[in-house]
Amino acid sequence: MSSASRAVPLTVTAVIEECPDAKSLVLAVPDQHRERFGYRPGQFLTLRIPSERTGSVARCYSLASSPHTDDAPKVTVKRTDGGYGSNWLCDNISVGDIIESLPPSGIFTPKELDGDFLLWAAGSGITPVMSILKSVLAAGTGRVVLCYANRDESSVIFAAELRDLAARHAPRLTVLHWLESVQGLPTRTQLSSFAGLFAGYRSFICGPAPFMAVVKDTLTEAGIPRDHIHLEIFQSLEGDPFTDVPVATVADDGRAADAEVSIDGEVHRLRWPVGGNLVDTMLAAGIEVPYSCREGNCGSCAATLVGGEVDLGEATILEADDIADGLFLACQARPLSDTVHVEF
């Protein structure tokens, strides 16, 4: 399936001013595409934004809505200094506008919603965290603690919604605000005693890189198991995933792996030539595979190596611990062994 045919026109049905520099866009999905736009808490949409210089630019925005509580998907956009896409959306988008989107992607999502969650967000990093928070409260059974850092009180996104959720879901939900104007930037020393109170909780962390690093280091020092710490990492897209890129069929000259690939429980078997990446190989075989940028920057095509060996290629957005657990980017990897077993 080509990138152009994967793009779907969505209608903006509401524009919500969350705070002075952030807006949420509620989007209507055409009936024939509802199944393709089913999403998991914490995932994102890749939107096509008009540009006078390049025709369009592609930007990824996390879904703040929950598939368990909201009828329509909602993305939240915060202005950034020099950020073309976010500033254009905040200045120009109106109810009734049409914007193209690729289907939901991303791996910053809980495997299950039961259990206790310790959620960390800074600034617009609250967006996917909000999706997880609402989903756990609606469809899970455990407690949720949110630690949310912002510059000052006026920059808190979803302030009213969080107050309402905390009141309706007491005592399951605890919301803690950290304001830089009052407490300064959070440090490991300040967070260490707090983090240690939540052994057994699963942490999901989203925000600027320095914030995520401080939180991750704090949790690690507090003895929180590595598999209970999840970070949202994706980089700005350099190319245009909405433009069709020809999928070159790499000749199987005998140097290919026998690949078994499971996608949502459906098993595909194919030959994976050593000169091609897995995304291109599957697309050439007519198999629909999750991907967005094909640059190794978004993590949409992240898969788990269950058996065999691969050359990771460019995988800088993956954590070393994730790689150790077998995670790789299907748009970058090449096979090294004769047989490979992969799960998406």
Side-chain angles (χ1 to χ4, degrees):
M1 183 179 291
S2 69
S3 296
S5 64
R6 293 170 67 235
V8 172
L10 307 181
T11 303
V12 178
T13 60
V15 178
I16 304 165
E17 186 158 341
E18 302 289 359
C19 65
D21 59 355
K23 293 182 178 181
S24 290
L25 313 178
V26 180
L27 305 166
V29 179
D31 288 341
Q32 65 269 34
H33 296 292
R34 285 189 179 275
E35 185 174 343
R36 289 178 60 209
F37 271 73
Y39 63 96
R40 298 192 301 274
Q43 291 194 303
F44 61 85
L45 296 181
T46 303
L47 303 182
R48 185 176 192 172
I49 301 168
S51 167
E52 293 179 357
R53 290 182 291 116
T54 60
S56 67
V57 296
R59 295 291 185 267
C60 301
Y61 294 103
S62 295
L63 288 149
S65 52
S66 163
H68 300 279
T69 63
D70 298 289
D71 294 331
K74 178 180 72 175
V75 296
T76 302
V77 181
K78 183 177 181 179
R79 291 183 184 275
T80 56
D81 291 337
Y84 174 81
S86 57
N87 292 337
W88 189 93
L89 288 172
C90 287
D91 289 336
N92 294 281
I93 209 74
S94 301
V95 172
D97 287 347
I98 304 293
I99 191 161
E100 283 188 290
S101 174
L102 296 181
S105 297
I107 57 173
F108 184 69
T109 179
K111 293 181 179 178
E112 57 183 37
L113 296 175
D114 289 328
D116 298 323
F117 288 79
L118 176 57
L119 306 178
W120 306 80
S124 59
I126 187 63
T127 308
V129 167
M130 191 69 165
S131 179
I132 294 171
L133 181 151
K134 293 195 293 184
S135 298
V136 172
L137 292 174
T141 57
R143 286 178 47 84
V144 181
V145 177
L146 169 66
C147 182
Y148 184 19
N150 279 284
R151 187 176 55 251
D152 52 41
E153 192 171 352
S154 67
S155 60
V156 178
I157 304 173
F158 308 130
E161 188 174 3
L162 285 169
R163 282 196 299 271
D164 178 62
L165 286 168
R168 285 194 290 118
H169 293 279
R172 284 185 64 204
L173 172 63
T174 302
V175 178
L176 304 171
H177 289 283
W178 186 289
L179 301 180
E180 182 184 343
S181 59
V182 177
Q183 296 149 288
L185 292 171
T187 66
R188 276 189 286 176
T189 300
Q190 292 168 312
L191 297 179
S192 58
S193 58
F194 167 74
L197 299 174
F198 299 99
Y201 282 56
R202 282 175 284 170
S203 278
F204 283 77
I205 311 161
C206 187
F211 171 81
M212 292 199 295
V214 166
V215 174
K216 180 187 176 184
D217 290 346
T218 300
L219 293 171
T220 301
E221 290 179 359
I224 305 300
R226 179 185 50 73
D227 61 359
H228 278 43
I229 304 173
H230 307 274
L231 286 76
E232 171 68 311
I233 301 174
F234 55 74
Q235 301 170 357
S236 296
L237 305 186
E238 297 176 2
D240 183 0
F242 291 92
T243 301
D244 280 342
V245 177
V247 177
T249 301
V250 180
D252 180 355
D253 57 2
R255 298 186 306 133
D258 289 315
E260 180 179 297
V261 182
S262 300
I263 303 178
D264 295 330
E266 185 176 356
V267 178
H268 305 271
R269 293 177 175 83
L270 68 159
R271 293 280 288 172
W272 180 4
V274 297
N277 66 65
L278 184 55
V279 167
D280 286 353
T281 300
M282 294 181 69
L283 290 175
I287 301 170
E288 188 168 346
V289 56
Y291 74 93
S292 182
C293 74
R294 289 167 71 183
E295 300 171 359
N297 289 332
C298 72
S300 300
C301 65
T304 301
L305 184 67
V306 179
E309 188 177 358
V310 299
D311 178 348
L312 294 175
E314 185 64 33
T316 55
I317 71 165
L318 296 180
E319 294 277 306
D321 292 337
D322 291 330
I323 293 173
D325 284 342
L327 207 65
F328 70 97
L329 300 179
C331 72
Q332 300 294 307
R334 267 66 172 175
L336 292 176
S337 56
D338 292 336
T339 60
V340 179
H341 183 191
V342 174
E343 290 183 354
F344 282 89

